[in-house]
Structures are given as structure tokens and as C-alpha cells.
Amino acid sequence: MTRRCSALCGLALAVVAISWGAPLARMTEAAPLAVAMWRLVLATALLVPIAFVRGELPLPAGAGRPSAWAGALLAVHFGLWIPSLFLTSVSASVVLVTTTPLWVLLLSPRFLGVPIRASNLLTFGLAMTGVTVISWGDFELSPRTLLGDAMALGGAFAVAGYIVIGKRMRAKAPLLGYLAVVNGVAAAVLAAAVLASGTPFCPRTAVSWLPLLGMAVGPTLVGHTMLNWALAHLEAYRVNLAVLLEPVGATLLTWAILGEAPPLHVVPGAALVLGGLGLEMLPRRSERQR
């Protein structure tokens, strides 16, 4: 029970941290693809020395290739999702990118050996209904917003693969060493994309480095580290279901910092999300018996 409580506390911290990603990205005066790149470059610069000091680099034999694939998927995730924040509303983008648990759930029987239960579908449906209610008023049928919606959804597909690999790697590689390699590969892939597209590398203002550093420390270093740590103690689907709270946090932070007031349907939507999370987080009968 202590380990379970620790894992749930770690998830709560991760959700708070990742909720800062969208508002911090919107606060940065830089090309969106460069924002994604610098988030991972700065996170790698912080992670690599810590991993070396802890003796977690280099990775064990056989862990390099899966870590590189995870890094490539993470690069696709951020390379699609962060630019989507500048094409569609924050609520729509964050909601679509948090459909990740659905794709993890569908991948789990094949890659993680975890069957899909009827209760999973029920709680997921309840939580996703809440997410839909939160974002419904933000969708606008125009080419620009539809492109942003499609990019956010593509980011959800990519991070589902990243999470599945991370779940399998938690028993094969130390956490910080694994994350240092993953973030390093993702940063390199995005740097190549920035060069190939002719995107300006640096922010337009010096003060924009502050939200970039904030994204590296909070959502990436703290948020993603705690999510990967929780994967060692909870099912991948359950970890990702907690991420459905991100739209709630991101909406409230965007309202407080950027003055974008959330629509009235945020309150009932948040209630549905929290209700779905509460049902899924309750221990099953077999867990209570143990």
C-alpha cells in the first residue's frame, strides 16, 4: 500500500508539472518548432550530468536501440504538439494530445501483455467525456484550427508508443540514464528538423529563455521523470489516464497567466474527468484481498 500511495503521489506531482507545458510554450516568443527543440535540449543538459554522477550512463547493453526509438517518438510528439498550440486553442490542443491513454490501452494487450477490461473502457469513456466537454466550445471548423487539431492528435499517437517503450524499459535501464538518452535523441531529431525547415533557432527576446527553461525543468525534467517512475509501479494505462487531468490544469493556468478565461463547461467537464480518475484509481477486488 505504501508503494501504491507513493506512486499516486508521484503521479499527482507529474500532472501538476506537465500542466505548465502549454501556457509556458504560449509565453515563449520563438518559432514553435524551436520551442520544442529547446525544451528538450535544456532538459538533456540538466539530465546528463545527473545521470553520469549517479552512474546511470552509459546504458546497459541492449538498451540503446529501444531508447533511441523512444527518443524519436518523443521528438515527433513535441514537434507536432507544441506547434499545434499556436494553430488551435490551448484547450483543444491539450485535450487531443491527452487521448494518449486510448492508444496505450489498445497497444497494451500486444506489447505489454495487459488485457483490456470492461472497467477500463467504462472509466476511460467517462473521463474522455469530461475532456470533450471541456474543449467542445474551443473547436472552430477552419483549415488552420483543423491542422492544429490533427497535429495534436498525431502527437498523442507518438507519445503512446513512447510510453509503451518506457514501460518495457523500466526493468532494463536506470531511469535517469534512460531519460537522458531519450531526451538527447529527441533533441537531436528536432534540431535536425529545425535546420532542415529553415526555422530560426533562437527566441526573439532574451526573456523568452525563462519559459523555455521552465519547460525543461517542470514539465520535462519533473513531469516526465515522475511519469516514467510511476510506470514501474502502476499499469501504463492507469498512469496515462492521470494525464487526462492536464487539460484541467492547463486551462486554469492559461486563464490565470494569459487571461484566457475558460468556458462555463469546464466545471462539469472537470467533474467527469475527476470522477473517471477516481473510479480507475480505486484498488480492484484482487488488490484489496492482497
Side-chain angles (χ1 to χ4, degrees), residues 91 126-127 129-136 245 247-248 251-252 255 261-275:
S91 296
L126 181 61
T129 300
V131 170
T132 303
V133 170
I134 291 173
S135 65
W136 189 258
L245 278 173
V248 181
T251 298
L252 293 176
W255 182 20
L264 292 178
H265 50 258
V266 164
V267 176
L272 288 169
V273 173
L274 291 172

Side-chain angles (χ1 to χ4, degrees), residues 2 9 35 44-45 79 82 84 94 97 114 116 123 125 147 153 183 201 206 219 222 233 239 275 278:
T2 301
C9 289
V35 172
T44 302
I82 289 183
S84 78
V94 177
V97 85
V114 178
I116 298 175
T123 56
L147 176 60
L153 190 58
N183 281 271
F201 257 86
V222 176
H233 307 286
V239 171

